[in-house]
Amino acid sequence: VSWQYFKLLLTINISNLNDRYVKSTTTQVKYGNFTIAFADFIKARDDYQCQKCGKQYAKGDKGLQCSHHFSRRYYNIRFDPDNAISLCHYCHNYWYQKDIPESARWLEQKIGKDKIDHLIELKNQPQTKPTASEELAIAEEFTKKCDIYQPIQ
């Protein structure tokens, strides 16, 4: 799913956005409701488990992070689930950034060369920052998708 998909979401009703994404907190001011909703979705999709080392986390645990394979500055792929994965603090901040060749090999095994090539193609296209209404639509869409996944008990 590319960023262009989310432009279509503008027609959905955003008035029922989950209250926890509407409240203003330091984290939400820094990252935005849409980024928090996307990160929550990625962690739920990955069963609250680090996809590199396998460490299991409880829902809401701050030790598990949403890691983007390609920088979040590329809006065309910022909210593409193929561009993100759940990693623990160690794997995100040490292994994934310090051992680039090994992490690139691992990523290719994890998601496949075709998905990586597609992300690179989208990354290299002109970028457009989402508007406020698009951000709300993104937050609502990933909040709905997150509800599909149930954490491992």
Side-chain angles (χ1 to χ4, degrees), residues 33-148:
N33 301 335
F34 56 105
T35 300
I36 294 168
F38 179 74
D40 286 349
F41 165 73
I42 295 299
K43 293 182 236 180
R45 178 200 66 188
D46 293 343
D47 294 325
Y48 303 95
Q49 183 177 38
C50 176
Q51 297 299 292
K52 174 62 179 138
C53 71
K55 184 175 180 181
Q56 188 70 48
Y57 288 84
K59 182 177 180 179
D61 190 317
K62 302 294 184 200
L64 189 63
Q65 302 173 349
C66 174
S67 172
H68 287 78
H69 307 305
F70 297 99
S71 174
R72 292 181 297 153
R73 76 173 180 244
Y74 299 110
Y75 292 107
N76 289 355
I77 59 173
R78 184 175 184 164
F79 304 106
D80 186 325
D82 289 335
N83 187 40
I85 198 163
S86 298
L87 293 175
C88 68
H89 177 76
Y90 174 81
C91 291
H92 189 191
N93 291 312
Y94 181 76
W95 176 81
Y96 207 57
Q97 294 179 11
K98 302 287 184 191
D99 194 347
I100 304 299
E102 175 58 27
S103 62
R105 285 188 292 275
W106 177 80
L107 177 61
E108 187 172 330
Q109 289 176 336
K110 189 77 174 166
I111 70 170
K113 186 171 180 351
D114 290 342
K115 286 183 180 179
I116 293 171
D117 290 343
H118 181 69
L119 290 170
I120 291 170
E121 181 181 323
L122 291 172
K123 175 180 84 73
N124 290 332
Q125 294 176 1
Q127 307 291 313
T128 305
K129 186 175 180 176
T131 65
S133 61
E134 290 170 330
E135 290 173 356
L136 284 173
I138 291 166
E140 183 178 63
E141 180 67 13
F142 282 111
T143 298
K144 287 178 184 176
K145 287 183 176 186
C146 192
D147 290 342
I148 296 170

Side-chain angles (χ1 to χ4, degrees), residues 19-32:
D19 285 342
R20 77 187 184 110
Y21 296 115
V22 175
K23 296 175 184 168
S24 177
T25 66
T26 303
T27 302
Q28 290 167 337
V29 169
K30 182 177 178 186
Y31 294 111

